[in-house]
Amino acid sequence: GAVMFSSRAIVLSFGAFAVSLAAGYYMKSMFLPFAKTLRRTKSKSDLRFGSFDTFEEWLRSKTFLSGLAQIDPQLEQIILQLLSAIEEIAHENAHIGMGTSNLANSSNSFGDNQLKIDLIANEIMFNKLQGYVAVASSEETPEELPMGGSRYAVAFDPLDGSSIVDTNFTVGTIIGVWESETFMGVTGRAQVCALMALYGPRTSLTIALHSRPGAYEFTLGPPSGWDGRRRWLLTNAFFEVREGILYSPGNLRCTQDNEGYRQLHDYWVRHKYTLRYSGGMVPDVNQILVKGQGVFVNAASPAAPAKLRLLYEVAPIAYIVEKAGGRSSDGSGTSLLDLAVQSTQDRTQVALGSAAEVARFDTIVGPAQPAPARP
């Protein structure tokens, strides 16, 4: 009887080992590219990177840097709610039909046609924030809505790039968090947290916190662990945007009546820059962080005014880029983080990327040209 029990124990142990080995192989095959990136980043500075695996471990660690302040518990709960919302949006984005039949037969106050997925993502975000923040506002619902919480305000674009979603291009979610109970008068620099999620071949997010240097990428892993949850795994860290020859030029139609922008575009072509432009702000800026070089711009002209919204798109992404070592400007030499929100309708020119490229935009393009007054 003892021998039989021992044999069964050995068989069960071997079976458990085999299952564990298979699961480990699957995880390794899924995340080997990220692990290589992670090793390269850690070799630059193990002190900066620490030894974190999941988002929760990274967020709650006090040994990340010497003297690092512990994150406010309320802000931590808000961030975890936002991650949950991103995971739900990723699921909806992957499973809902994306043809033109999915137009919602409505438009937002900016005049943009809305898809059903726009409205679904918008609803998910507001539902997740209910009771956690004082106010929230979105590009689809551009007004301050009371949320039953306190201290914090969250602005977001629930699905940036929805005009290219039916072609299965990468799209994203943009989020800014302020310790405030109103958005009026705040600047991007006053944010306590900003996030940028990408829904592409894999789902990832990049986060920047006021209390930590750099910006950090997490990738949503497959179901794992005893509870079968999908976990956010640390896959990259960004501290520098170098000079390079990669450019993403938005609103090119304004080269017709913005001579500076036309000259800047000619400069890029003449100097054999590499064009990388998808039509989505989130993937185009993300490539600058991942590649560690380049510039994203969106200029304006009298015939083609500025398109990007300060509160919902520009301020959060500029915060991430500058925390990651890049620069930002509206063309006047002013950082995008120093523009105060006067209205949820505010728009601005944008230059994001390396210091020299942003300075070149300021020099050649300059401040936004006002649209002609209506008679």
Side-chain angles (χ1 to χ4, degrees):
V3 173
M4 183 178 294
F5 176 80
S6 177
S7 299
R8 287 178 178 174
I10 292 172
V11 169
L12 289 173
S13 297
F14 180 78
F17 172 75
V19 170
S20 176
L21 188 64
Y25 177 79
Y26 175 71
M27 290 291 288
K28 181 178 179 181
S29 65
M30 285 288 292
F31 288 95
L32 183 58
F34 313 133
K36 290 180 178 177
T37 302
L38 190 59
R39 285 197 296 270
R40 287 198 301 271
T41 309
K42 286 183 72 174
S43 66
K44 295 177 183 177
S45 175
D46 286 337
L47 177 63
R48 285 178 172 177
F49 216 103
S51 58
F52 313 106
D53 293 318
T54 69
F55 183 86
E56 288 83 356
E57 290 169 337
W58 173 82
L59 189 65
R60 295 166 183 167
S61 174
K62 294 188 67 175
T63 60
F64 184 77
L65 283 175
S66 178
L68 181 68
Q70 188 173 10
I71 188 169
D72 171 37
Q74 185 178 345
L75 178 58
E76 178 181 334
Q77 286 302 310
I78 293 168
I79 293 172
L80 293 177
Q81 287 296 109
L82 293 173
L83 265 62
S84 177
I86 290 168
E87 189 171 344
E88 281 194 33
I89 294 170
H91 175 82
E92 295 293 340
N93 189 53
H95 290 86
I96 190 171
M98 292 300 172
T100 54
S101 62
N102 284 289
L103 286 170
N105 297 319
S106 63
S107 59
N108 60 26
S109 66
F110 297 107
D112 301 325
N113 289 328
Q114 293 175 311
L115 297 176
K116 291 179 182 177
I117 186 63
D118 284 315
L119 303 182
I120 291 171
N122 196 51
E123 183 179 8
I124 289 171
M125 289 290 296
F126 275 113
N127 286 344
K128 290 292 184 179
L129 292 170
Q130 188 68 45
Y132 286 89
V133 300
V135 294
S137 183
S138 82
E139 187 175 276
E140 305 302 329
T141 312
E143 54 187 293
E144 287 191 2
L145 297 182
M147 301 300 292
S150 64
R151 292 182 57 204
Y152 289 96
V154 176
F156 56 91
D157 183 349
L159 200 68
D160 182 70
S162 58
S163 64
I164 58 174
V165 77
D166 58 340
T167 59
N168 205 25
F169 279 27
T170 296
V171 293
T173 297
I174 305 170
I175 306 167
V177 183
W178 285 262
E179 189 170 4
S180 172
E181 296 199 352
T182 181
F183 296 109
M184 297 304 101
V186 301
T187 65
R189 200 172 298 282
Q191 288 171 99
V192 294
C193 175
L195 300 95
M196 179 177 72
L198 286 90
Y199 313 111
R202 60 186 183 271
T203 298
S204 66
L205 68 88
T206 297
I207 184 171
L209 287 170
H210 73 294
S211 58
R212 301 189 179 186
Y216 301 85
E217 178 194 77
F218 293 82
T219 299
L220 187 60
S224 64
W226 64 270
D227 55 0
R229 283 180 52 220
R230 301 184 71 185
R231 288 170 168 79
W232 293 94
L233 304 178
L234 182 62
T235 49
N236 219 331
F238 310 118
F239 294 96
E240 179 185 21
V241 179
R242 306 178 304 276
E243 303 307 324
I245 55 171
L246 186 152
Y247 75 113
S248 300
N251 204 19
L252 274 177
R253 64 178 63 119
C254 79
T255 57
Q256 297 298 307
D257 61 330
N258 184 325
E259 178 61 19
Y261 196 27
R262 186 191 66 77
Q263 290 179 13
L264 180 58
H265 187 262
D266 289 348
Y267 173 90
W268 290 325
V269 173
R270 190 168 62 251
H271 288 81
K272 297 180 171 57
Y273 276 49
T274 299
L275 173 64
R276 290 290 183 269
Y277 182 71
S278 72
M281 186 181 187
V282 170
D284 289 342
V285 171
N286 186 66
Q287 72 174 341
I288 293 173
L289 301 179
V290 173
K291 301 296 185 183
Q293 61 172 292
V295 64
F296 170 92
V297 304
N298 197 292
S301 73
K307 298 173 62 178
L308 298 177
R309 287 82 171 180
L310 176 61
L311 180 60
Y312 306 112
E313 300 165 303
V314 176
I317 286 188
Y319 187 81
I320 292 170
V321 170
E322 292 207 15
K323 290 286 282 188
R327 297 290 182 270
S328 75
S329 176
D330 65 350
S332 70
T334 300
S335 167
L336 295 168
L337 297 182
D338 293 325
L339 302 179
V341 175
Q342 305 299 328
S343 163
T344 59
Q345 307 288 330
D346 291 350
R347 306 185 193 212
T348 181
Q349 284 194 138
V350 171
L352 297 159
S354 67
E357 292 297 338
V358 171
R360 183 174 289 111
F361 180 86
D362 291 340
T363 301
I364 301 177
V365 178
Q369 303 175 20
R374 294 181 178 179

